[in-house]
Amino acid sequence: MRAVLVLYFKFFLRWDDNLSTAIYHSFVALCYLTPILGAIIADSWLGKFMTIVSLSIVYTIGQAVMAVSSINDLTDYNRDGIPDNIPLHIGLSMIGLILIAFGTGGIKPCVSAFGGDQFEEEQEEQRSKFFSIFYLSVNAGSLLSTIITPVLRGEECGIHTKQQCYPLAFGVPAALMAVSLIVFILGSKMYKKAHPQGNIMLQVSKCIGFAVKNRFQHRSKQFPTREHWLDWASEKYDKRLITQTKMVLKVLFLYIPLPMFWALFDQQGAIQIQPDQMQTVNPILIVIMVPLVDTVVYPLIKKCHINFTPLRKITVGMFLASLAFVAAALVQVQIDKTLPDFPKEGQSQIKVINLGTDVAKVDFGSGVENVSVESLMATNYMTFDTTSLTRMNIAYGNQTLNQPLNFPGKERHTLLLKNTGDIQTELLLDGLTSKSEDGKNQIRFINNLASTINITMGGTHLGDVKNFSATNYTSFTRGVKEIVVFADNSLTCKNQSISFGYGSAYTIVIQECNSNTLALKYVEDIQPNTVHMAWQLPQYFIMTCGEVVFSVTGLAFSYSQAPSNMKSVLQAGWLLTVAVGNIIVLIVAGASKLSEQWAEYVLFAALLMAVCIIFSIMAYFYTYVDPAEIEAQLDEDEKKKMENEKSICENGTGPISQSEM
């Protein structure tokens, strides 16, 4: 669903880029904040199984509401193809997204923890493999959705007018979620279901609060120190709760530096050069790398007698992510060399195309050298101070023309010239102020024939074009396109275009149309991308390797170090680092005054490297625990305590001490 969400905001709800991006990131952050709520419900009230079932229903309803909100005909009362009650669609969309956020967030910590519950304590290796398969499955779904969802959106549907089919793009995930829920419920009898043990989060919070309060009240040196600050809660809370709280806080403390990894990981989408298909690279590599790392890399490391502990794996994952962004910065430097120089504030750019038969000379004044343009040729874009562009003088042989100019600034313009009889001029506002982000090519046509023509390119109808006028830019994918021109004299002319690359912009001048030929003149407005998209693959590969050893290990580590009654809570804590990572992106990107993209990549890489060093030091001092063993020892201690108390009650005395013997 996320694959088309920003497009839905921009093109259906008509939001601008800033609002669309802000709402999108807010939605993602909410999806990773709500796991805390799901974990509390699971561990304290419903249990993991019923929490998954209940919140999956909420999730499915949210998806269905999103599908309904995107039905164009719902409020298209005048049937013009545009919704007439946008606030209604926005309201339904927000309700749907909130339901989805609570649904998906609520089940996130429970699904992985519930899977971990199905294994016995001695099945540590099998449980670790489960977390790998679980993560692989998530990314397999991501891969399919990245490919299929845009295809569903691209279909046309509607009752009165045909529109891009957002209802299908949102409705199919809703149907699949309902099916998956049914399949999950059908396996109910096969699952091992741990029962919730009361409101454990409330107990933990009270325990921590009492320990802090008690320590503050006994801060005088006359009171002996205790081994751990949580031991100050022993006057009110039992040893089991205090020990379990220590385990959880020790792991949560380790999580403090981890959001920086997700801050980099969530910027992967920004590391794009050309086609949006590159989004599929990460899930494809995940599907390949997870089994490869599990079955080949880890066994090889083990054979080399290297103790590759979970925390060392997480550290390596952070280091690889930092390395990936260094690679991204190097590629970005090469990309920047090929980017066009667009006008800045206070500047205007002009390109001159001479459609006449003689040499044209243009003087823009302000001490700028005269521009000489041969017949049927064009200049590159020339940059001027907008305030200095007040008049221009055009000369075609003995003919001259003086015209006033008035530019808004920060725009590109094209000046068309022709000397058929009098001097003809046409000043076009190009509207291109940035390179295409989706890798598509921007193409426009100029009619240099004597009569009106009708143009079709690659099956896209561009309409009638009068003599000495131009079409607007239209987006086309890469490759060769067929150009068909219908002239007033019933002539049909066809020709194959040049092979378009990625991200270019061209002005195509229709020079001649007869029964045999269609003569075209190509003027390059923006050059195609010359940095091949394959140069992205190293950074994707390095980042994916980092993700595999970081994320899969994190899920398994969180489960293995959590007390039996707080498995979902620690899974939620792990997911919370993702939400904080999104917030870091917004803060750093907002505070950073770096104008260059590569410099921002280097900044994030340096920050993560620093965090990686801090985490490695923290990990060095971490002591791994076996919660099952500790809880078994606590059970044994409680059993002995009960026996002692029973003995005291029966005999009236306690057990004989060593000093009494």
Side-chain angles (χ1 to χ4, degrees), residues 122-142:
E122 63 273 11
Q123 293 179 307
E124 184 64 35
E125 186 178 342
Q126 288 84 351
R127 183 189 290 120
S128 180
K129 284 184 179 178
F130 159 75
F131 284 116
S132 294
I133 294 169
F134 170 75
Y135 200 74
L136 186 149
S137 301
V138 170
N139 281 275
S142 174

Side-chain angles (χ1 to χ4, degrees), residues 537-548:
L537 294 177
Q539 66 210 35
Y540 270 99
F541 177 76
I542 297 169
M543 178 61 89
T544 301
C545 290
E547 182 188 356
V548 169

